[in-house]
Amino acid sequence: MFYFKKAESSHLSQISEYEQKNFPDTCYSLKQLEDMFGKSDYSFLVALEKETENVVGYLIAQVSEGMVDIFKIFVKEEYRRCKIATSLLRYIIGQNLKSDIILEVAETNTSAISFYLKHNFKIVAKRNGYYKNGVDALIMLKEQYEK
């Protein structure tokens, strides 16, 4: 089993390890994570395995008035399909009901695209060659309220 909470600085080294291993072209270094963590407009959420207290998933977002920009949602492979990503996403949405949610996803990451579409995100734009490896990024938006 696992539980969710706002990340603590002690979680950053595990997050950094996951970044290096799973996002080699777009990973955040430990120093970058520490810099973001120290700023009040960034939100770090973690899913922790109850027995070990190890991070099994996380979400990193920047929150500003009227907009939440999700930078990363990650779940360890052996914990996928356990609703961890859904719970992390629902938490950030629930904490920011009057804010639109925006993110970028690699056009080749079809499972992530399906996940976001299932949660009422819409593809609103495309950034050609956005990632270091030349893959395009889709910009996805979830509007939380009518303007």
Side-chain angles (χ1 to χ4, degrees), residues 60-115:
I60 303 170
Q62 186 174 27
V63 180
S64 58
E65 190 172 327
M67 184 65 66
V68 174
D69 191 348
I70 295 176
F71 295 146
K72 292 277 174 79
I73 295 181
F74 172 75
V75 177
K76 283 181 72 173
E77 191 168 347
E78 61 267 32
Y79 292 91
R80 292 181 187 161
R81 305 263 183 246
C82 295
K83 304 286 186 197
I84 292 173
T86 296
S87 296
L88 291 167
L89 185 61
R90 284 184 179 158
Y91 182 88
I92 198 77
I93 289 169
Q95 293 296 305
N96 298 280
L97 290 174
K98 297 203 178 221
S99 298
D100 291 339
I101 315 286
I102 194 165
L103 56 89
E104 286 123 3
V105 62
E107 188 174 45
T108 56
N109 192 345
T110 55
S111 61
I113 294 166
S114 295
F115 171 79

Side-chain angles (χ1 to χ4, degrees), residues 46-64:
V46 290
L48 300 173
E49 207 267 331
K50 279 188 179 178
E51 290 180 18
T52 64
E53 296 286 312
N54 286 330
V55 174
V56 298
Y58 60 89
L59 179 146
I60 303 170
Q62 186 174 27
V63 180
S64 58

Side-chain angles (χ1 to χ4, degrees), residues 35 62 66 77 108 130-131 145:
D35 289 346
Q62 186 174 27
E77 191 168 347
T108 56
Y130 179 76
Y131 294 102
Y145 66 101

